Amino acid sequence: MTRPAPETVESMADLRACIDAVDGELMALLAERLRYVDRAPVLKAREGISAAAPSRVRAVLDGVRVRAEALGVDPALAETLWRTMIETMIAREEQAIGKEGRDG
């Protein structure tokens, strides 16, 4: 189902329903991202890359800020959200492969 444009929504009930729908899509995308991240320890261990891979983290965060700004989203907010997500996922990877390895 297609959602109405935000500026055309006429009631809080409808607005909340739209926000809930977007939240559902965001959660589905987060779950998909996590499935990819769950594959990373196998590949990182094989390639000798650390779970943290600082240069990759910086590149992801830089890209997030650029995309956020282009879409009219506060870059600091986007970076904070991604940083939290990345730190959580790195910790998950470190449980699987430890902290050793090169910057990837």
Side-chain angles (χ1 to χ4, degrees):
M1 181 170 105
T2 304
R3 283 186 298 280
E7 61 275 5
T8 67
V9 177
E10 295 293 330
S11 73
M12 281 305 300
D14 289 344
L15 183 70
R16 288 177 177 151
C18 291
I19 291 170
D20 290 347
V22 170
D23 287 350
E25 292 173 26
L26 287 170
M27 191 59 64
L29 288 170
L30 180 58
E32 180 181 0
R33 188 183 198 283
L34 189 54
R35 287 191 303 273
Y36 284 105
V37 168
D38 283 345
R39 178 71 175 140
V42 172
L43 302 176
K44 285 181 174 182
R46 183 187 313 160
E47 297 177 24
I49 299 170
S50 72
S55 63
R56 172 65 179 157
V57 170
R58 186 72 258 152
V60 169
L61 293 175
D62 289 347
V64 163
R65 291 186 70 87
V66 168
R67 286 190 302 278
E69 194 167 329
L71 293 168
V73 174
D74 177 7
L77 170 62
E79 181 174 342
T80 297
L81 293 171
W82 257 259
R83 188 177 294 282
T84 298
M85 185 169 52
I86 289 168
E87 288 171 359
T88 300
M89 293 181 183
I90 287 171
R92 185 179 176 112
E93 290 179 21
E94 286 177 343
Q95 287 180 342
I97 62 172
K99 296 183 179 190
E100 299 302 315
R102 64 179 168 75
D103 186 9

